[in-house]
Amino acid sequence: MKNLLLILLLCFSGALFAQKFTLEGIVKDKTSTVLEGATVYLQSIKDSIPIAYGITNKNGAFSIQVNTEDDSKAIFNIAYMGYVPYQQDINVPDGKELNMGVVTIEEQVEQLNVVSIIAKAPPVLIKKDTIEYNADSFKTLPNDKAEDLLKKLPGIEIDTDGNITMNGIEVEAVNVDGMAFFGEKSGDIALKNLPSNVISKVQVTDYKTNTQKFTGEESDSGTKEINLTIKKGKNRATFGDVKVGYGTDEKYQVNANIFKLIEGKQLGLIGGSNNINMTKGFNSLPDTDTSSGYIESDFIGANYTKGKWNETRINGNYRYSAQNNEKEQISHTENFLPDFNYITDSESKSFNDSDSHIGGGDLKIIIPPKNKKSNNKVLISNEIGVNVSHSESGSVTDKKSEYTNGDLVSDYYSENESLSDNYSINNEFSVTTITGKRDYLTMSLNTDFSKGNADNMNYSENYIERLSSTEIQDQINNTDTYGSDISLNALWSKELFTNFRIMPRYSASINSQENEKYIYDFDENTDDYDDFNEIQSSDSRYAATSIRPALRLRYEYKDFRFEVEGGYTNTYTKYTDKLIEARDFKTDFEYATYSGRIRYRDQNGYKNINLTYNQKVNLPSVNQLQPVIDESDITHVVIGNPFLEQEINHNIKFSYQNNLAFNNINVTGTIKAEFVDDKIISSTITDEDLNKYTTYDNIDGDYSYSGSVAITKSFFSKKTNININARLNGSFSNALSIQNGVEFTGETTMLRPSLSFKYSYDNKLDLSASYSYSATSVVYDTNDFNDNTYFSQNVDFDASIFFLKNVFLSNKVSYSYNSRVGDEFDGDAIFWNAGLGIELWNNKATLTLVGYDMLGKNNGYRRSVTETYIKDTESNILEQYFMLNFTYKFGNFAGQQMNIKGSRGRAGGSSRGGGGGKR
């Protein structure tokens, strides 16, 4: 603690006596036109490290708070797309201000390679609809991965489930050098395996489909995409690491990665094994995330890529993974019904051993025009994926149910074992042609074939106190499934006249499923499973054919875009069963759908405002439609309803994004409303012996509202980096349900404010803290159910302190409290992980001692609340351990040893240069 206080004192005292001033001016071109969005930044004249940066506003003005520490001079830079980089040495003023006046920059006759003119880029660049972070400007630990780097960037957050948001907006895809890494859209393997210190840039932009990227179409997804660019050394590099760890209670982890870049080619090999609940990668200091059960995991993979995203390219990848998952759980559930309430206490144990082989390939051929002046070109694309998996699982459950007065209702016990194999192959072939300036035609054929086999053994017995009898189910079943999904899609985009475009599209699909499920009950007379159960068995065929023509109209006026689309869908379904003909049915669905969008975006892409309306139709699933009795659980009988109607969702969304680059502030907000017609719900009747009978029905009156707002502010100087992020989320839902024939409504209101703070100082201190509070209220329109009000709060704190020469201390602490958890369980939990490490052998190796759950206070308690129950659960979790980790890093770029240190110190060369800016 004394060391921490001393470091903080040094940080603030250094900042207090540093030379600070405000740098102002206006940027224009030779025609005296002001330039909005130009990047203005200062570099240290000693080592070219960025000192401060700013963006010009609509008047071309900039105002930057500068802290030069003890430097008496600095390098003044201006960068703007299409203009020659401007550079000038300046003297640090004695006063508090320095006005550069009007700075004129010249247009660039020949477009230069921007990368070649960068010496030390600013930490953040705004490039129209893209925010680009310079990775070296954000400090990371020696063994950190790409995921750890993202957590340090302004506006980016990663929750406990791995979901990424940028200023509250969902990140839909993560790429490496513009392409999916190991075929994953989520980029999970890249985030958990790529060393943070090999990343050059982190680019955040609007998510686009492959067609939109090729044709230059504007994104309409409403989500974001992250691209990680790898540092290049004349485009030749080899890097990787080997990591091993062993700890108390025989805990271990081992991982090896090697990546190679050769003239536009990428090769990656990864592999690892652990028994500390990690499914991918290696973690030198685990996050404070609670995972249920004990997981042992092994994995290997290979990835090959040649070419860039905007040229002919090929990608192939393979992954193998094996997992063993063991879970134990006890629960206490209060159940609410219109006519009575009851309590269920349950204990269960389960295991799952699985392995999978996943392979993929992606070939994209771009045919350029013969005439270099022509814009005509063709993209031929083929993506294929193969998945083969095997699984063995089993579970044992024991639960007892009583009325609220303590009288026994039932005592249930079950054992289940399953063995399954699944195979699937999918392929997407598409051709896109661009003609003229912006017209294009794209056609695609998608095929998906699957096959599965499962053998199951199910034994259960249910004692009913009222009847003083026990019902026993002892059976085996074999299931063979076959599925195919074939679809054809076509879209033509044609500009009829200036700024007006028509976009007709057509799609057709054929989906078929075959299911052979044969169930045999145990026959005591033969002492064998040879009593065929025809009622529960099925030999079915299901086919669904859909045809949908649609037309979209688009008009653009200045910074506005207007779009409307209408489509009409015909879907024909047919179900047949060879065992029982009475189950056969035919159902046809016909419906029209509409959508509209109004979008405003300024010329620089800083402000983006959207108002959209979408109508979405959800068809009933096969299980919801097929009139086949499912009695696999003797206490719960389920049967489909072939007379279900389609569910129609009306969605209205307003979104606002504004990057106030001049002030280093980013503001985002959304408001959503959803109304559902003919919502498909489960309708359940529970009798006095707690046997349940469920079917499906349509119901009207379901709607919800939600909204969010996020504000991010960043401060940057030569040694200090501060980011503040404030968010507010709220929602209201009016949900309808049916229980025991009674229709009721639950109104749920949720409000969740949160605040996060990130601070780093030179190579001494790096910390982040966040707090969130969530309040929820549930009100029912009937006295048969109790209203619920509860809250939860979470505090997270991460800190890394660097001292002596190569020693660092890291801590990750989280505190959570849930008022919903019952008296029998602990509602709050403190989770503290710590690591003490040292860099060895000229920073080529790192030795770290890690303590997981230092206080032993983490727990697996959870509470879930619905309109019909409150359930408290305690699951087995990974418990306290201590582990010694060793990491060895290697690599070189263009034959020269790479910088294998973490981004602690932002050391730079002495070369000067401009670059970056609005591109």
Side-chain angles (χ1 to χ4, degrees), residues 536-553:
Q536 295 187 37
S537 300
S538 63
D539 188 354
S540 63
R541 306 291 185 273
Y542 176 79
T545 303
S546 294
I547 299 173
R548 184 181 186 270
L551 176 65
R552 175 180 293 189
L553 304 177

Side-chain angles (χ1 to χ4, degrees), residues 340 401 403 409-410 462-467 635 686-692:
F340 66 92
S401 298
Y403 291 119
V409 182
S410 64
N462 189 34
Y463 172 75
I464 305 297
E465 174 68 14
R466 182 181 65 87
L467 303 175
T635 66
T686 304
D687 66 19
E688 59 182 328
D689 299 320
L690 307 185
N691 291 312
K692 298 180 180 181

Side-chain angles (χ1 to χ4, degrees), residues 837-848:
I838 182 171
E839 295 180 280
L840 306 170
W841 307 337
N842 196 26
N843 302 316
K844 291 181 179 179
T846 306
L847 189 66
T848 309

Side-chain angles (χ1 to χ4, degrees), residues 494-619:
K494 173 67 177 178
E495 187 174 59
L496 291 185
F497 52 84
T498 303
N499 295 330
F500 182 78
R501 183 172 293 272
I502 63 169
M503 305 174 71
R505 68 176 69 210
Y506 180 84
S507 61
S509 65
I510 301 174
N511 176 271
S512 64
Q513 300 179 35
E514 299 181 14
N515 188 304
E516 298 176 1
K517 184 176 184 179
Y518 299 124
I519 298 177
Y520 296 87
D521 292 314
F522 181 77
D523 190 333
E524 292 184 351
N525 296 322
T526 62
D527 196 30
D528 199 2
Y529 294 94
D530 54 10
D531 184 7
F532 182 64
N533 190 325
E534 185 179 57
I535 299 298
Q536 295 187 37
S537 300
S538 63
D539 188 354
S540 63
R541 306 291 185 273
Y542 176 79
T545 303
S546 294
I547 299 173
R548 184 181 186 270
L551 176 65
R552 175 180 293 189
L553 304 177
R554 175 190 295 168
Y555 179 69
E556 297 185 12
Y557 177 75
K558 295 184 178 179
D559 294 331
F560 288 88
R561 172 178 285 188
F562 305 89
E563 290 182 338
V564 293
E565 180 174 324
Y568 193 81
T569 303
N570 288 276
T571 300
Y572 312 96
T573 66
K574 181 180 180 181
Y575 179 89
T576 59
D577 194 314
K578 292 182 180 180
L579 297 182
I580 301 178
E581 189 175 335
R583 296 171 175 170
D584 297 354
F585 68 87
K586 288 184 178 180
T587 305
D588 297 338
F589 301 95
E590 296 183 8
Y591 50 90
T593 54
Y594 311 94
S595 66
R597 178 178 178 230
I598 302 175
R599 187 271 293 155
Y600 167 82
R601 186 175 71 178
D602 62 15
Q603 293 181 353
N604 290 302
Y606 293 167
K607 183 181 292 186
N608 198 326
I609 303 174
N610 282 270
L611 178 62
T612 60
Y613 166 77
N614 283 303
Q615 185 182 20
K616 182 181 179 181
V617 176
N618 295 323
L619 298 181

Side-chain angles (χ1 to χ4, degrees), residues 210-211 214-215 363-367 377-383 427-434 440-446 488-492:
N210 288 330
T211 299
F214 178 68
T215 60
L363 173 64
K364 289 180 170 56
I365 301 174
I366 296 179
I367 303 176
K377 55 183 177 179
V378 179
L379 169 65
I380 302 175
S381 172
N382 194 86
E383 298 181 22
N427 191 83
E428 179 181 354
F429 176 78
S430 64
V431 178
T432 303
T433 62
I434 298 178
Y440 64 90
L441 172 67
T442 180
M443 295 180 292
S444 65
L445 175 64
N446 303 312
L488 175 68
N489 300 278
L491 169 65
W492 182 43

Side-chain angles (χ1 to χ4, degrees), residues 96-150:
K96 298 295 183 180
E97 293 184 2
L98 175 60
N99 195 315
M100 301 294 294
V102 176
V103 183
T104 302
I105 61 176
E106 300 180 359
E107 284 194 76
Q108 195 161 259
V109 178
E110 181 181 355
Q111 185 65 45
L112 298 178
N113 179 0
V114 182
V115 176
S116 66
I117 58 177
I118 291 180
K120 273 287 181 178
V124 180
L125 288 175
I126 312 297
K127 303 186 295 185
K128 203 172 179 63
D129 58 353
T130 300
I131 299 178
E132 182 177 275
Y133 300 97
N134 178 27
D136 283 342
S137 296
F138 299 89
K139 300 175 180 64
T140 54
L141 291 174
N143 296 329
D144 276 354
K145 301 300 181 183
E147 183 179 48
D148 302 295
L149 171 63
L150 292 189

